[in-house]
Amino acid sequence: MEDFRDHIATVNEHGKRVWVYPKKPKGSLTNKRKLVSYSLLIFLLLAPWIRVNGSQLLEFNILDRKFSIFGATFWPQDLYIFAILMVIGIVFVILFTIIYGRIFCGWICPQTIFMEFVFRQVEYWIDGDWKHQQALDKAPWDAKKWGKRILKHGIFWLISFVIANVFLAYIIGSHELIRIQTEPLSQHIGGFTAILIFTTLFYFVFSNLREQVCTTICPYGRLQGVLLDKNSMVVAYDHVRGEQRAKFKKNENRAESKKGDCIDCMQCVHVCPTGIDIRNGTQLECVNCTACIDACNSMMDGVGLERGLIRFVSENGIVNRTKFQWTRRVVSYTGVLILLIGILTVLLINRSDFSTTILRQRGSTFQIDAENHITNIFEIDLTNKTKTHFDVKLLSSEAAVTFQVANKRIDLPGEKHVRERFIARFPYKVIEHGTKKIEVIVIGNGKEIDRVWIKLIGPSF
């Protein structure tokens, strides 16, 4: 019977939520998760304050449509690069899930890292381990319980406030965040409101929603269901070796009594942060956090049985006792991923620090001036992706064609976008059959920074 698949573990038969009290995990894999998690937390907290080439290490400024990644600044003109990045991300997620299941969720996902290694640790410190937490929830509201609740949720709110500020530093930039924090509140009502909203949101997620984000809200768990197959490496219970389950008895020969290695201690269930029983098989709620592996290995050591009853293994690996295999599907996705990374590398190498767009002014054709020369009016859009300030001049690849900028000169600050008008002036002999294509050479601080083709028009005769 697999009726456990008809509902998630954190909802009972009456549709009410079952609160999860996970036991504090211990073991070698938990220690490795701590190392990975705290390293990522330090990077996450420091990245907005580190500057490379004058730019924030990581910034995703949606409002100004400017993105900084490891010192390189990207603008809307670089949207094609982000499109490739998104495709690579999707293919990588698919490939990673096919091979390793949902290990990203348990080891790298910010939701899991903050929940298990920040908020949950505060809870263990104040309320105690799982049994103490259960007892405290059932206890009457006396001074001790009120004190613990106020302290815990006060710390939760402060941590959420810090996360909200860090989150905004990635979105609006650390300099702008400092202005919101240091300048009078009246000048930054919108920014301060955003901080309060995000603080409340993060507090609600980590104090109340918790594992519901992973089991119900996040679409990745559902995606896992269509990506995994019997060759995917996941955290799994070796049912071949473990069944039939039975309590451990000292000096008993379990093989002779036809008992499996699972001693039915329930430790794998007690430590699970999503409340599942891994022995039921692969489930979408499993985030591959490996807490159950540590718990099971500890019990196996205690009773003198072999480790690895719960481990990273595929379904075929359990049944056929084989290791991971490179299937045709894995090889195909790997090939596509390598190809896309190659394309991205080429695009990044050939990416220009300047973007120039020249269009004819809307509604205009050509004019003939007093000296019997033809004039065309154009609009030029310039984007400077560098930190350098440029004094821009326009030259023509055709000697007889001259350009006159409306404001005499073009001032192009670093990391800015400017728009100007200019007039192309040329004699009749330049055009043939009413048109002529020429190159506009964009000169910045005395050096060529870009070239753009434009089309001159005039009378056809």
Side-chain angles (χ1 to χ4, degrees), residues 232-292:
S232 299
M233 303 291 286
V234 295
V235 173
Y237 165 69
D238 189 340
H239 55 86
V240 173
R241 174 187 153 194
E243 300 297 320
Q244 293 289 329
R245 306 173 199 171
K247 295 294 183 181
F248 177 76
K249 293 181 181 180
K250 194 173 181 180
N251 299 324
E252 177 189 29
N253 188 324
R254 297 180 71 86
E256 287 183 359
S257 54
K258 296 183 179 180
K259 294 177 181 179
D261 282 358
C262 179
I263 62 174
D264 206 18
C265 62
M266 299 293 288
Q267 293 302 306
C268 58
V269 180
H270 295 329
V271 297
C272 181
T274 58
I276 67 168
D277 187 341
I278 192 66
R279 297 172 299 176
N280 287 333
T282 302
Q283 298 155 70
L284 65 85
E285 299 101 312
C286 178
V287 294
N288 284 16
C289 69
T290 67
C292 55

Side-chain angles (χ1 to χ4, degrees), residues 184-247:
L185 176 61
S186 58
Q187 298 180 20
H188 300 284
I189 296 295
F192 185 71
T193 302
I195 291 176
L196 288 180
I197 290 173
F198 283 118
T199 298
T200 304
L201 178 64
F202 288 127
Y203 169 78
F204 177 70
V205 167
F206 293 113
S207 66
N208 189 275
L209 280 181
R210 300 190 165 201
E211 77 286 340
Q212 300 295 313
V213 174
C214 306
T215 60
T216 307
I217 298 174
C218 180
Y220 186 38
R222 304 299 188 274
L223 183 65
Q224 173 188 239
V226 297
L227 293 177
L228 295 182
D229 60 20
K230 291 186 177 182
N231 291 305
S232 299
M233 303 291 286
V234 295
V235 173
Y237 165 69
D238 189 340
H239 55 86
V240 173
R241 174 187 153 194
E243 300 297 320
Q244 293 289 329
R245 306 173 199 171
K247 295 294 183 181

